[in-house]
Amino acid sequence: MAAARDLRATGMAGPGDEDAVDLARRHLIQPWPFAGSVGEEARALIGEGDGIYITDSTGKRLIDGPAGMWCINIGHRREELAKVMYDQAMALSYNTPWYTMNAPSAELAMRIAGHAPGDLSHVFFTTGGSSAVETALRFMQFYNNVRGRPEKKLILSRGGAYHGSTYLSASLNGRPRDRDWMDGADELVVKLSSPDPFRRPKGMSLAAFTDGLIDEFRDTVARVGTERIGAFVGEPVQASGGVIVPPDGYLKRIREICRDNDILYISDEVVTAFGRLGHVFASGDVFGIDPDMITFAKGVTSGYFPLGGVIISERLLQELRRSNHPDAMFGHGLTYTSHPIGCAVALKNLDILEDSVLAHAREVAPYFQAQLKTLEELPLVGEVRGLGLMGCVECVADRESKDPLQLDKNVGKRIDAHCHELGLLVRPLINMCVMSPPLIISREQIDDMVRILREGISRTMDDLRKEGVWRG
Ligand SMILES: Cc1ncc(COP(=O)(O)O)c(C=O)c1O
């Protein structure tokens, strides 16, 4: 057998071959690349993490403002998690879930079900959030096939939604830039409006805005037909859409319409679960709803191991067991379903969350929100909003018209570049900066974070004025 070529030893890798940045430009494809630079792009190289901080390749220490991708909930460099990973790998690194099982996955399923609202009782583990949403949707399709309702498969989703990067989960995505150049199962998806109070028509009360959203939902169900709609999928707080916190009562009312019309309610808690809003799950504890399924990922292992899952209602499982097709098979499973290392890490992570981190997150969240809100003093900032330890600073060219588009659309990236200089990693989203730090962040660290963000926005305002792009 030929030995693998070490491209560093060939002309293909070129000079600077020890340099990760150089190697990435030659051999790595980054997620969400543009066609013009695909396979040639390097991003900020991160060497280390510790608590709420990461260190870049120049040695600069940065506050990890987005906690990775909303996932490093208990912070970086937790020895307990490293040790559990090692111990589990030495005990059992993998077993086939096709015809064997392991103890950590069974215990984790029990612990997760114990935190879930309503009659959610059973967990199917996946490798992340997209595969969790995909599993929930395929389960809905299977469920309706077994019930003899093969035409009941359409999925209701909303503008501003993000549900993943596999084919069906991505078909639900509502941010235009995610879909412009990508195909999807559009014939299966019906889109509704985002419940974004900031973008409601001028002069409209919040109550009237909420009623309008509910009317749209009800009218859509009536127009499309309950016999054709299988599920509604929604994030309790739209995360990547810009931390859109829905108006009070909105989710409860949608949940009721779904129940009345035999439409499964799938709550996508990939971001909001495992402490981001101060509880293991936000659906019940924050919003008072009991979905038919909840999807989760990210914070379940605080990002230390790729794991996700979907929790399914006992009622649905019983219906399947009692159906006329007890031998119909849910033809769905992943090599890494119920991975023993992932589940062992998640158990330890849950211990730490339950022990202190959930209470801490609930305690500091109001301070985090209040401090971020002070940024509304800056004329470039149209709104600061958020819930728990999720926040978003939305910049606008003009506060009256709330127009984000006259302005340089990369304003988020400009702010991020200044903040990077100053010691903070920001998640830029077009004209927005999303902040979701590790849940262990202290009040003093929140002060640091907001001080840097304020300075980053001020420097961006100066740049925009100098370039004549903005006259605020
Ligand atoms: C709400 C939501 N659902 C699903 C996903 C997809 O998760 P993953 O990237 O782990 O596949 C994400 C990712 O950010 C998300 O925010």
Side-chain angles (χ1 to χ4, degrees), residues 70 128-130 133 162-164 235 240 268 270-271 298:
W70 329 84
S130 305
V133 173
Y162 183 74
H163 295 293
E235 301 156 80
S240 305
D268 184 355
V270 164
V271 169
K298 296 185 188 279

Side-chain angles (χ1 to χ4, degrees), residues 305-376:
F305 197 91
L307 186 76
V310 48
I311 327 173
I312 301 180
S313 141
E314 184 63 34
R315 177 179 68 83
L316 305 186
L317 299 172
Q318 281 183 10
E319 227 181 302
L320 287 174
R321 288 187 212 116
R322 290 200 207 108
S323 73
N324 293 328
H325 304 285
D327 52 359
M329 188 170 71
F330 181 44
H332 182 84
L334 310 166
T335 298
Y336 298 129
T337 291
S338 300
H339 198 292
I341 299 179
C343 292
V345 170
L347 281 168
K348 178 52 81 179
N349 181 58
L350 195 50
D351 288 345
I352 296 169
L353 285 169
E354 287 171 348
D355 190 43
S356 61
V357 176
L358 292 175
H360 175 78
R362 287 197 294 270
E363 206 263 311
V364 295
Y367 187 74
F368 170 81
Q369 294 296 341
Q371 294 313 108
L372 266 190
K373 198 80 179 162
T374 63
L375 298 175
E376 281 186 355

Side-chain angles (χ1 to χ4, degrees), residues 380-419:
L380 186 62
V381 175
E383 184 184 55
V384 176
R385 57 176 172 265
L387 196 64
L389 284 172
M390 300 170 77
C392 177
V393 177
E394 177 157 356
C395 298
V396 289
D398 171 18
R399 279 184 169 175
E400 262 306 292
S401 70
K402 298 182 179 174
D403 188 352
L405 299 174
Q406 295 166 23
L407 191 67
D408 178 342
K409 286 188 204 160
N410 274 333
V411 73
K413 279 199 178 140
R414 287 170 176 255
I415 295 170
D416 177 43
H418 282 304
C419 288

